[in-house]
Amino acid sequence: MGRTALVVGASGIVGSAIAALLVEHGWSVKGLARRPAPQSGIEPIAADLQDASAVAAAVADVQPDAVFITTWLRQDSEAENIRVNSAMVRNLLDGLRAGRGVPRHVALVTGLKHYLGPFEAYGKGALPQTPFREEQARLDIENFYYAQEDEVFAAARRDGFSWSVHRPHTVIGKAVGNAMNMGTTLAVYASICREIGRPFRFPGSPVQWNGLTDMTDATLLARHLLWATETPAAANQAFNVVNGDVFRWSWMWGRIADWFGLEPAPFDGSMRPLEEQMSGDAEVWKKIAEREGLVEPNLDRLASPWHTDADLGRPIEVVTDMSKSRRLGFTAYQPTDEAFIRLFEQLRSDRLIP
């Protein structure tokens, strides 16, 4: 019998990666988004998760074996993040229950803000010791990730499905219009630096420049999501998900510069946020796009400097432990520099960067 998956946020970095992997593995895939983009082998479903009745109508005839929740909406405050994003999860799971039946498994993608705190209090206060481990307690602070988890846990107790929570570090992958997209942001920044002769400066903190860190490739995260769905021992577990290597930005910055044919500017310890550096770059990018025949001339659709600044400006070293997954049999590994290079090659091939 074929298996059916519902991917929520199918047009995003993570959603598009898991949707493509599921198709590759023979699943029937339905992709839910507010404005679904055409994706090979995926049946689009249009719905706004904030509208409970619209969601229920959209999924009324969907009977998925597995649901992958890979989306969220950024709000002006953490209180609003909690209200909106918990309601989105609740509306989805209630809508499925009211339709043709509940899924066998629900996978929720959150992230390391589980340990670092939300954007309002990011990397501040009493934080768990690194490397972050899944058994560490929640922070004593409001966090929409916790609210999303609680909605999944409550529905699982009510409806009897298994669940998994996946906590990636910063995700490397392709999506246009995504709110958190370091890889494409750095690609656009490097392209602008090369165009106008701006020094290719690391924008973040000395701690991030000198300290160890890790990241998560979207294709590896997709493999982890599928693994957890198909592995009985992974049911009802929360997992960290990273590539498996660690690096210092003092090394990675040079690797990125080399690919773009740039000489990295020396780092003098001063923070120069991308949000400031790129604040006047919209017209520069539009001219580059017109001259080179790029498909997206709107800088805001490609770059998310605020999010990249939040990651690269952290005042603490961030390293993630993946022992839990390893012990249960997930052994996939992805060198992070190769993940960046693969993304840059794809962006160039798709005419998103020159």
Side-chain angles (χ1 to χ4, degrees), residues 26-350:
W27 287 61
S28 173
V29 181
K30 302 178 187 300
L32 189 151
R34 281 178 297 171
R35 294 178 294 275
Q39 293 169 276
S40 178
I42 299 168
E43 178 185 336
I45 298 176
D48 183 347
L49 290 175
Q50 297 180 83
D51 185 333
S53 59
V55 174
V59 302
D61 294 325
V62 180
Q63 193 171 9
D65 296 282
V67 176
F68 301 88
I69 304 173
T70 71
T71 190
W72 71 288
L73 284 177
R74 188 187 183 202
Q75 305 299 310
D76 291 336
S77 68
E78 193 59 18
E80 278 298 289
N81 276 332
I82 291 168
R83 184 187 68 80
V84 170
N85 289 285
S86 62
M88 288 165 57
V89 173
R90 184 168 61 253
N91 292 342
L92 171 70
L93 298 178
D94 285 352
L96 289 169
R97 183 173 188 254
R100 295 184 61 188
V102 299
R104 176 184 60 81
H105 185 83
V106 172
L108 171 68
V109 178
T110 61
L112 293 197
K113 287 190 291 298
H114 183 94
Y115 309 106
L116 288 162
F119 288 119
E120 288 182 1
Y122 196 53
K124 299 175 183 177
L127 298 173
Q129 186 179 36
T130 57
F132 296 139
R133 302 177 188 275
E134 295 94 341
E135 63 268 21
Q136 290 167 330
R138 290 179 174 182
L139 300 176
D140 186 19
I141 190 171
E142 294 294 305
N143 191 323
F144 84 88
Y145 281 171
Y146 305 161
Q148 286 183 309
E149 286 185 344
D150 289 343
E151 292 293 343
V152 171
F153 300 159
R157 288 192 297 268
R158 178 191 69 194
D159 297 334
F161 59 76
S162 64
W163 55 265
S164 56
V165 175
H166 304 256
R167 300 169 185 160
H169 199 160
T170 305
V171 177
I172 303 170
K174 180 199 164 191
V176 176
N178 191 271
M180 301 191 297
N181 195 337
M182 179 189 284
T184 305
T185 298
L186 293 180
V188 169
Y189 173 62
S191 299
I192 290 172
C193 287
R194 185 178 59 197
E195 173 77 13
I196 65 177
R198 177 187 294 163
F200 186 59
R201 299 185 185 280
F202 180 72
S205 70
V207 171
Q208 292 304 304
W209 180 255
N210 295 308
L212 291 172
T213 193
D214 47 30
M215 292 184 72
T216 307
D217 180 68
T219 58
L220 181 136
L221 175 53
R223 292 168 66 185
H224 194 272
L225 286 159
L226 181 56
W227 166 81
T229 300
E230 296 180 331
T231 303
N236 304 327
Q237 302 274 350
F239 296 102
N240 296 330
V241 192
V242 286
N243 289 336
D245 63 345
V246 294
F247 63 91
R248 291 182 171 87
W249 277 104
S250 56
W251 174 79
M252 186 66 76
W253 201 248
R255 294 282 288 148
I256 294 173
D258 285 346
W259 195 87
F260 285 94
L262 296 167
E263 184 69 28
F267 181 65
D268 62 5
S270 302
M271 292 180 62
R272 296 178 173 85
L274 290 181
E275 198 161 25
E276 295 177 8
Q277 290 195 53
M278 301 178 72
S279 62
D281 286 345
E283 284 303 312
V284 174
W285 184 254
K286 185 177 180 181
K287 290 177 182 178
I288 294 173
E290 290 173 351
R291 186 188 71 224
E292 301 293 334
L294 304 183
V295 298
E296 183 50 75
N298 185 346
L299 180 64
D300 291 337
R301 295 262 303 152
L302 292 175
S304 52
W306 67 272
H307 176 256
T308 300
D309 287 338
D311 276 5
L312 298 184
R314 293 172 182 152
I316 59 171
E317 183 177 87
V318 177
V319 184
T320 316
D321 182 75
M322 257 196 81
S323 299
K324 187 176 184 180
S325 293
R326 303 300 189 215
R327 285 194 295 266
L328 292 176
F330 183 79
T331 58
Y333 169 83
Q334 171 62 61
T336 301
D337 60 331
E338 293 180 8
F340 270 122
I341 290 168
R342 185 176 65 233
L343 171 63
F344 299 154
E345 290 172 345
Q346 183 181 10
L347 294 174
R348 182 166 286 172
S349 175
D350 292 345

